[in-house]
Amino acid sequence: MDQFKGQPRLPKFVVPKRYDIRLKPDLVAHRFAGSVAVNLDIVAATSFIVLNAAELDVSNDAVSFTNQDSSKVIKPSRVELFENDEILVLEFPEELPIGFGVLSIRFEGILNDRMKGFYRSTYEHNGEKKTMAVTQFEPADARRCFPCWDEPACKATFKITLDVPSELVALSNMPIVEEITDGDLKTVSYQESPIMSTYLVAVVVGLFDYVEDHTSDGVKVRVYCQVGKANQGKFALDVAVKTLELYKGYFATPYSLPKLDMIAIPDFAAGAMENYGLVTYRETALLYDDQHSAAANKQRVATVVAHELAHQWFGNLVTMEWWTHLWLNEGFATWVSYLATDSCFPEWKIWSQFLHESTEGLKLDGLAESHPIEVEINHACEIDEIFDAISYRKGASVIRMLQSYLGAECFQRSLASYIKRHACSNAKTEDLWAALEEGSGEPVNKLMTSWTKQKGYPVVSVKVNDQKLEFNQSQFLSSGAQGEGHWIVPITLCFGSYDVHKSFLLQSKSETHDVKDFLGSTHKGLNCWIKLNVDQAGFYRVKYDELLAARLRYAVEKQLLSASDRFGILDDSFALCMARQESLTSLINLMGSYREEVDYTVLSNLITVMLFFKSCSFITWVIYVGHNSNSFVWQISLKVQRIAADAVPDLLEYFKQFFINLFQYSAERLGWEPKPGESHVDAMLRGEILTALAMFGHDLTLDEASKRFQAFLENRNTPLLPPDIRKAAYVAVMQRASKSNRSGYESLLKVYKEADLSQEKTRILGSLASSRDPDLILEALNFMLSSEVRSQDAVFGLAVTREGRDVAWAWLKENWEHLIKTYGSGFLITRFVGAVVSPFASFEKAKEVEEFFATHAMPSIARTLRQSLERVNINANWVQSVQNENRLGDAMKELAYRVY
């Protein structure tokens, strides 16, 4: 049996074709019993059957194999479950005949509380605490519910039967075909599924309400939620019906099941999960309350629903062959979710917000400890860590870059061909490139291999030399180090106007182009601004020489560039500054050009950059959903580092004043009160601007927020504190809270405990650690691990101020064993490591962290720990660089008191 241990994949001598599964969950004892009969094709001579199983009890007498031709029943001579490898090895006394047979196994397991496998979630009904049973199998946890071939390529059909309490709702992937009640129990049988992978099997048992609608071709769509919350499901239901119709046309293939259920789960680790026909969600990602949900919550519901439904084609109908190709699922679903959301809500201008996806991909991929889009996976414990910004956001960004290069119509046509060709099967990255190459006639495989098989991306440097433009590419690393990567880069550029637009492929390390090649012999030359990577369609950064950079600053100030390009210039400059390829003085001067900016996406990015310097960098940790993210995702803004305070504390007040002045234009334009008919993005921007001003300690903002919060405490429905500005008020309250002045903190805890809406609870959790008092921060962190906070939500509370960095680190060390016990090897544990470690900015602290994890490491956090330590070292080098800038002090003093 030892020959099967330590292998990344299961042996190929047995192929599963059909599962007949019966489960009986006990919601009181928190256990379940089950049986599975698997129709197998024995394709090679063997006396072993090896499949996946974990945390299940399987006895020797509970297993048998029946040959289809002879009906002979063969019992195994030995049954062994290897927990480290999560495999069940069955040894038979004789060789199994080649051909078809049925493997039957009875088993028992625990309804765990770790939000993976077959687990339990709690909720209240009529004031009584209840338990529901839920499955979460992606990436590799179906094996915790039933023995199976738990690999994406091992597709089969599934016939599921449940024995459950008669008063409960029991859902699975397919519609119910029979329901037989016998006293307090009922047996529910479902239609057999089409062929699919094990990670997409789903079961949910509990008390639920629902709302229902149908698509034009008769697909029944329902949104399930806790009893009494059905109205909160109507928005997601409307989005789902419209999105199914859109995808049917876009993919030229109808949705393949007779029904689609979407259900909100109170305890859910990811954001959502795309189970075939039964999509599970966090409540915050599915439910929308007209009175208490913010505009950002509404947008998130729309994009997450669009992301999960994209998977019904790209992931479920056509499935990646192995986890190396995870990005095919997640990158594409992230990209197309924006397409669907833009179709449903064109007034949101959602494509401009896609730049946030690209930026987060660029941030992670700028680390030496990044990984290629296509990453080798050698053990199930490694899979969780690649549900990250590379698979989702870089994946989505290179798809957008390729679509821009090939053209929208050609791209769509080729995708439809890819879906048809690989429907009900598996695919690799090369299969997608082949379809796009065939449809476009372009060398797609050659072009894209450099983007998916190597980590990182280029920074393209451009400078003017006489009447020539010199282009150079090199790998960008946030550390400032020299990388060795080389890409085929789709270059786009504009000359003084978007009407003068050129493009070419940069295939070598450096190229020189005569301006006449671009503009013709009659053009007057290069006396205008030049913008590369037009509308930020490419996944690369740009570094301009001083002359071109100065012209772009002028173009930004005079609003001559698109919002996407204004975003890109700032984002690239910020990244180059972090990599010590541009001075902080230069970056600050550029930021001054944005003083009359009105675009939501640009201002949101400006806030991110400013908070980084003033007190904290907002590094977005994404619980990649359906997960994970969405394309969608939910984000936790983790306050990361205080470069200005670490490097030049004597200039901190000047930084604060500069930032406050820069936001006055937008703050005065938006005010505190929603305006009749205002745009969706203005509603979101108001909250972000006011939250930023609260973080900067702006007294007028803190005073007004305090007044409105007091009104809210007296009347939760007061119009003085609408959902879009509640986060700003909560942060403002905590800015003035301390151990000796804790009334604001206590009031927020009261609101948290009384709130029924998950979105309200997460708003509060994300604000509690905004205090400047280390003792109160510690109290807030301890609250995150209390029974008052669902374990999935504790990561929201890790957004500590600079004053709380050491407190958070000591807290993490003290609670490490508890965290391991609670979160195990799931991806949530990596969020704790990244959030607490990454904010530091000293080499000494990096060494201290290394020493702790030398004796507390585990494989599932290895990549995250390396990335976090790299960030600490980047921060430390950056601090030293800023300290050596001679002109920074004079520049900050002048900018801080400049009259706009």
Side-chain angles (χ1 to χ4, degrees):
M1 286 189 168
D2 286 348
Q3 66 179 299
F4 304 113
K5 294 167 67 175
Q7 301 299 313
R9 305 280 293 264
L10 294 171
K12 307 294 186 187
F13 41 69
V14 176
V15 180
K17 295 295 185 180
R18 178 183 186 271
Y19 292 82
D20 192 335
I21 303 166
R22 186 161 189 160
L23 297 170
K24 184 179 181 180
D26 185 334
L27 300 180
V28 177
H30 301 158
R31 294 190 60 83
F32 65 91
S35 63
V36 61
V38 192
N39 291 61
L40 301 177
D41 184 6
I42 310 294
V43 296
T46 180
S47 57
F48 291 95
I49 292 179
V50 184
L51 65 164
N52 293 114
E55 301 171 10
L56 297 176
D57 297 325
V58 180
S59 61
N60 279 40
D61 60 359
V63 183
S64 65
F65 177 81
T66 304
N67 177 259
Q68 181 174 297
D69 293 334
S70 65
S71 298
K72 180 180 179 182
V73 178
I74 308 172
K75 291 277 190 178
S77 56
R78 186 179 171 196
V79 175
E80 195 76 39
L81 180 62
F82 294 102
E83 283 289 357
N84 286 343
D85 294 283
E86 299 182 346
I87 56 172
L88 179 67
V89 182
L90 313 174
E91 184 175 5
F92 292 87
E94 60 187 91
E95 199 170 85
L96 301 177
I98 291 177
F100 296 101
V102 177
L103 175 67
S104 299
I105 305 175
R106 298 188 311 278
F107 52 88
E108 292 185 352
I110 296 173
L111 281 176
N112 70 74
D113 60 356
R114 302 197 315 277
M115 297 179 286
K116 61 194 293 187
F118 201 11
Y119 73 92
R120 64 184 187 268
S121 176
T122 59
Y123 61 105
E124 282 194 4
H125 179 63
N126 293 332
E128 183 181 352
K129 189 175 182 180
K130 298 279 189 179
T131 299
M132 67 175 70
V134 186
T135 58
Q136 169 59 38
F137 291 163
E138 190 178 27
D141 292 310
R143 63 193 69 181
R144 286 175 168 75
C145 182
F146 58 96
C148 57
W149 280 257
D150 202 10
E151 297 181 0
C154 297
K155 284 190 162 186
T157 60
F158 294 83
K159 182 75 174 71
I160 295 175
T161 303
L162 302 177
D163 296 309
V164 300
S166 55
E167 75 276 11
L168 300 183
V169 175
L171 303 172
S172 188
N173 305 83
M174 300 298 291
I176 295 171
V177 292
E178 186 179 54
E179 189 170 310
I180 300 173
T181 302
D182 183 9
D184 293 337
L185 287 177
K186 64 181 178 183
T187 299
V188 186
S189 300
Y190 303 86
Q191 285 182 25
E192 187 164 330
S193 77
I195 187 171
M196 65 182 187
S197 302
T198 50
Y199 78 87
L200 296 169
V201 175
V203 166
V204 180
V205 180
L207 281 174
F208 303 104
D209 275 348
Y210 67 86
V211 287
E212 177 181 308
D213 201 352
H214 294 79
T215 64
S216 62
D217 51 354
V219 176
K220 182 187 293 184
V221 184
R222 287 180 174 178
V223 173
Y224 285 86
C225 54
Q226 290 185 54
V227 174
K229 295 186 176 182
N231 282 339
Q232 295 178 23
K234 289 182 178 179
F235 175 69
L237 179 67
D238 181 59
V239 171
V241 171
K242 291 177 180 176
T243 300
L244 284 177
E245 300 278 11
L246 173 73
Y247 288 160
K248 179 178 69 173
Y250 190 82
F251 298 126
T253 300
Y255 174 66
S256 54
L257 301 186
K259 64 95 173 174
L260 173 70
D261 293 331
M262 305 193 299
I263 185 165
I265 306 298
D267 297 284
F268 198 78
M273 174 61 212
E274 68 266 22
N275 313 299
Y276 221 168
L278 177 55
V279 185
T280 45
Y281 295 80
R282 279 191 179 214
E283 290 189 336
T284 54
L286 187 66
L287 305 183
Y288 175 77
D289 184 298
D290 286 329
Q291 187 172 2
H292 295 291
S293 296
N297 299 133
K298 188 175 190 177
Q299 180 173 301
R300 183 172 178 240
V301 169
T303 52
V304 175
V305 168
H307 179 107
E308 301 314 317
L309 299 198
H311 279 310
Q312 306 302 306
W313 285 263
F314 232 93
N316 299 6
L317 186 62
V318 180
T319 310
M320 65 205 162
E321 190 275 336
W322 179 239
W323 298 104
T324 291
H325 308 283
L326 171 68
W327 85 279
L328 281 178
N329 283 16
E330 301 305 345
F332 185 82
T334 301
W335 175 80
V336 84
S337 69
Y338 279 78
L339 184 93
T341 304
D342 184 59
S343 176
C344 293
F345 306 100
E347 69 278 10
W348 289 2
K349 301 178 182 177
I350 195 74
W351 274 117
S352 69
Q353 295 180 56
F354 183 86
L355 297 177
H356 290 308
E357 304 283 355
S358 298
T359 292
E360 293 307 319
L362 289 164
K363 282 180 182 176
L364 180 54
D365 211 26
L367 299 180
E369 289 293 347
S370 180
H371 63 82
I373 283 179
E374 295 182 72
V375 58
E376 288 302 318
I377 296 295
N378 296 310
H379 193 280
C381 71
E382 299 173 3
I383 302 171
D384 272 320
E385 282 199 296
I386 65 166
F387 283 89
D388 62 6
I390 302 301
S391 298
Y392 283 75
R393 293 168 157 190
K394 181 181 180 181
S397 299
V398 298
I399 287 170
R400 177 174 177 251
M401 179 171 66
L402 182 58
Q403 187 228 25
S404 176
Y405 178 73
L406 297 178
E409 289 185 15
C410 170
F411 190 77
Q412 179 183 355
R413 232 179 14 252
S414 302
L415 280 181
S417 173
Y418 167 83
I419 291 287
K420 283 191 170 80
R421 184 176 302 167
H422 298 283
C424 301
S425 186
N426 296 86
K428 299 180 179 181
T429 300
E430 289 77 12
D431 298 316
L432 177 59
W433 297 159
L436 290 166
E437 196 162 298
E438 183 180 306
S440 67
E442 295 284 345
V444 175
N445 188 63
K446 178 184 177 184
L447 172 65
M448 297 308 294
T449 293
S450 66
W451 295 95
T452 63
K453 292 189 181 296
Q454 66 177 335
K455 65 184 177 184
Y457 57 87
V459 54
V460 176
S461 300
V462 57
K463 65 179 180 179
V464 176
N465 188 355
D466 193 18
Q467 287 299 302
K468 293 181 171 57
L469 286 176
E470 296 179 357
F471 300 89
N472 290 275
Q473 66 157 298
S474 59
Q475 183 174 351
F476 178 84
L477 288 168
S478 295
S479 65
Q482 293 295 313
E484 297 179 355
H486 179 208
W487 291 262
I488 299 176
V489 188
I491 300 291
T492 54
L493 64 166
C494 283
F495 297 83
S497 164
Y498 286 94
D499 295 330
V500 187
H501 181 288
K502 301 295 177 182
S503 60
F504 68 96
L505 289 178
L506 178 62
Q507 301 194 53
S508 57
K509 285 280 188 180
S510 61
E511 293 181 14
T512 299
H513 291 263
D514 195 301
V515 68
K516 293 178 183 178
D517 296 339
F518 290 134
L519 305 178
S521 58
T522 60
H523 198 274
K524 295 181 180 180
L526 294 173
N527 299 317
C528 59
W529 57 262
I530 298 173
K531 173 63 174 66
L532 268 68
N533 196 12
V534 177
D535 287 330
Q536 301 303 110
F539 193 77
Y540 56 91
R541 297 202 181 278
V542 181
K543 181 180 181 181
Y544 300 92
D545 68 12
E546 289 188 14
L547 174 65
L548 294 176
R551 290 174 180 170
L552 283 173
R553 279 197 300 273
Y554 175 82
V556 167
E557 190 166 2
K558 298 301 180 182
Q559 299 274 309
L560 301 177
L561 302 173
S562 69
S564 296
D565 282 332
R566 298 196 303 273
F567 177 105
I569 289 167
L570 176 64
D571 198 59
D572 286 349
S573 184
F574 176 56
L576 289 165
C577 182
M578 180 185 290
R580 294 168 290 135
Q581 296 184 33
E582 180 179 310
S583 69
L584 178 55
T585 307
S586 174
L587 174 60
I588 292 296
N589 280 315
L590 171 65
M591 291 165 67
S593 302
Y594 289 82
R595 60 183 175 274
E596 294 185 5
E597 182 61 62
V598 295
D599 182 80
Y600 166 76
T601 306
V602 179
L603 281 169
S604 181
N605 195 38
L606 191 62
I607 290 169
T608 298
V609 173
M610 288 182 170
L611 286 173
F612 195 105
F613 291 114
K614 175 269 164 187
S615 69
C616 51
S617 144
F618 277 68
I619 285 191
T620 302
W621 290 96
V622 178
I623 302 287
Y624 289 93
V625 310
H627 356 205
N628 248 289
S629 148
N630 166 354
S631 85
F632 190 73
V633 305
W634 47 267
Q635 305 177 343
I636 305 173
S637 290
L638 297 173
K639 302 169 191 176
V640 174
Q641 90 160 302
R642 193 170 185 171
I643 289 295
D646 282 333
V648 283
D650 54 315
L651 296 180
L652 187 57
E653 288 304 314
Y654 294 109
F655 273 91
K656 289 170 60 176
Q657 189 60 49
F658 169 58
F659 296 154
I660 289 170
N661 290 345
L662 208 51
F663 283 127
Q664 284 303 304
Y665 180 84
S666 292
E668 291 170 6
R669 180 178 73 87
L670 295 167
W672 284 82
E673 304 288 345
K675 295 177 176 58
E678 73 178 359
S679 70
H680 166 81
V681 289
D682 270 356
M684 292 198 299
L685 181 58
R686 177 180 294 106
E688 291 198 25
I689 291 282
L690 293 174
T691 301
L693 287 172
M695 291 296 298
F696 297 143
H698 184 232
D699 286 331
L700 293 177
T701 301
L702 298 181
D703 291 342
E704 183 65 24
S706 179
K707 292 176 187 176
R708 290 172 181 266
F709 181 66
Q710 288 304 314
F712 180 68
L713 292 179
E714 295 167 11
N715 175 13
R716 296 293 195 272
N717 296 316
T718 178
L720 291 175
L721 199 66
D724 292 311
I725 62 171
R726 284 183 196 166
K727 177 68 179 291
Y730 299 161
V731 168
V733 166
M734 289 307 302
Q735 284 283 302
R736 288 178 169 172
S738 64
K739 263 294 196 185
S740 58
N741 179 26
R742 53 186 296 117
S743 61
Y745 176 73
E746 297 289 355
S747 296
L748 267 181
L749 289 183
K750 185 174 186 292
V751 175
Y752 175 88
K753 293 171 184 177
E754 292 175 357
D756 184 50
L757 187 69
S758 296
Q759 291 160 350
E760 189 69 74
K761 287 182 176 291
T762 56
R763 266 196 291 267
I764 296 169
L765 292 177
S767 307
L768 284 179
S770 299
S771 171
R772 300 294 173 192
D773 185 334
D775 291 335
L776 195 58
I777 291 171
L778 178 59
E779 190 172 332
L781 289 171
N782 286 332
F783 178 72
M784 300 304 153
L785 299 185
S786 73
S787 59
E788 296 279 359
V789 179
R790 294 184 185 272
S791 57
Q792 69 189 26
D793 293 333
V795 289
F796 284 107
L798 302 178
V800 301
T801 56
R802 179 176 181 269
E803 291 83 353
R805 291 188 306 192
D806 288 313
V807 169
W809 170 235
W811 172 85
L812 182 76
K813 291 187 290 183
E814 183 178 339
N815 291 282
W816 184 247
E817 295 305 320
H818 170 77
L819 294 172
I820 294 299
K821 182 179 178 181
T822 303
Y823 298 99
S825 59
F827 68 86
L828 282 176
I829 190 67
T830 67
R831 302 325 192 230
F832 284 88
V833 174
V836 174
V837 173
S838 297
F840 289 113
S842 75
F843 302 116
E844 295 77 16
K845 189 60 70 173
K847 184 178 180 181
E848 181 185 328
V849 171
E850 282 189 276
E851 289 173 352
F852 174 78
F853 282 109
T855 56
H856 295 82
M858 49 193 294
S860 60
I861 68 164
R863 188 188 300 275
T864 301
L865 179 59
R866 294 195 303 270
Q867 291 170 348
S868 300
L869 286 168
E870 184 179 355
R871 285 190 174 103
V872 176
N873 286 309
I874 289 169
N875 296 341
N877 280 315
W878 196 8
V879 165
Q880 290 184 351
S881 175
V882 171
Q883 288 170 339
N884 292 326
E885 288 194 31
N886 296 324
R887 295 186 297 121
L888 180 60
D890 290 339
M892 284 312 307
K893 291 171 186 177
E894 192 273 328
L895 286 167
Y897 295 104
R898 178 182 290 176
V899 178
Y900 291 124

